[in-house]
Amino acid sequence: MLPRTRCSPRKSSPRVELAPRRREGRPCRPRPFRPGRGGQRRAVVLCNSLVYGHGRGMAHDSVQIPALARQARASGVVRYVEAGRNIWSTVHIDDIADLYLRALTDASAGSFYFVENGEASFADISASLASALGLGPAESWDADTAVAYWGHELALYVLASNSRVRSRGARLGWRPAHPSVLDWIERDCLCQSHRTVEII
C-alpha cells in the first residue's frame, strides 16, 4: 500500500530560517522585481502537465513515460505502481509550443494557465506502451519494489500520484491539435524498432 499522510491544523507554525545560498563563496541575494524599459514587464505562467511527444531541443525526454519505457526495455515487462489507477493530465509538446507563442502575444499580465489536452491513468499508459513495444500485458509493482527501482520521489510522487488539471488555454484561442497520449504511444512514439524508442 502507498504511504498515507495525515495533516492536522496547528494554531501556529514555527518560523523556519533558511540559510542563504552561496555561489563562488558569496551569498546570493534576491533581486527586487523592477519594471522593464518603458515601465512595463508582463509576467505569464504556463503550468504544464505530463508532457509527451518527440522533443526538438537539446533534451529530448521528459520524465514519466521515458522512465516506464527504460524499465520495460530492461526487463521486458512494463510496470506501473500498485493498481495504476492514478491519473495525470497530459499535453503534447508541440501543442505546448503553440500555446507559448500565443501567450507571448495575447496573454494579459499576471495570467496563469494550466496546460493539458486530456488525461489518462498510468495503468492505461502502461498498457499502451506494452502494446507499442510488442510486450505482454503490463504488470503491477508494489510501492516498495517501485521505490527500490525508481527511487522514492519518482516512484511515489510522480508515477504513483494524481495530477489532474483543466486548461484555460482556450481563452487564447488555443486548440490542441495532436492525438491523446494513449493514441500517440501506440501510433507515433516508436521508431522502426522498439530498441530505438524515442519518447519524451
Side-chain angles (χ1 to χ4, degrees), residues 117-194:
N117 70 341
E119 63 182 25
S121 72
F122 270 83
D124 289 340
I125 290 172
S126 299
S128 292
L129 186 58
S131 175
L133 291 171
L135 301 175
E139 298 179 10
S140 170
W141 259 351
D142 62 79
D144 290 338
T145 304
V147 168
Y149 186 88
W150 281 308
H152 188 83
E153 284 193 18
L154 180 58
L156 300 187
Y157 298 142
V158 178
L159 300 178
S161 65
N162 289 285
S163 181
R164 307 176 75 179
V165 299
R166 291 293 178 265
S167 177
R168 296 167 53 221
R171 299 187 182 186
L172 297 178
W174 182 64
R175 295 289 188 277
H178 289 78
S180 71
V181 65
L182 301 182
D183 288 340
W184 177 81
I185 289 173
E186 295 201 29
R187 299 176 187 176
D188 301 326
C189 79
L190 302 184
C191 299
Q192 295 277 333
S193 167
H194 72 268

Side-chain angles (χ1 to χ4, degrees), residues 14 58 61 90 120 155 161 181:
M58 294 179 63
D61 291 345
T90 61
S161 65
V181 65

Side-chain angles (χ1 to χ4, degrees), residues 35-106:
R37 292 183 179 179
Q40 295 182 355
R41 177 174 290 180
R42 187 167 56 91
V44 178
V45 177
L46 300 178
C47 185
N48 302 320
S49 47
L50 185 156
V51 181
Y52 63 95
H54 296 294
R56 302 174 188 274
M58 294 179 63
H60 294 285
D61 291 345
S62 62
V63 179
Q64 297 94 332
I65 297 176
L68 298 176
R70 286 191 294 270
Q71 188 285 135
R73 293 198 301 271
S75 69
V77 179
V78 181
R79 303 281 187 175
Y80 51 86
V81 184
E82 296 289 349
R85 289 194 294 266
N86 54 302
I87 294 173
W88 272 60
S89 297
T90 61
V91 65
H92 192 281
I93 184 65
D94 290 343
D95 287 326
I96 292 175
D98 178 50
L99 182 56
Y100 270 65
L101 291 174
R102 292 173 183 272
L104 284 172
T105 58
D106 300 334

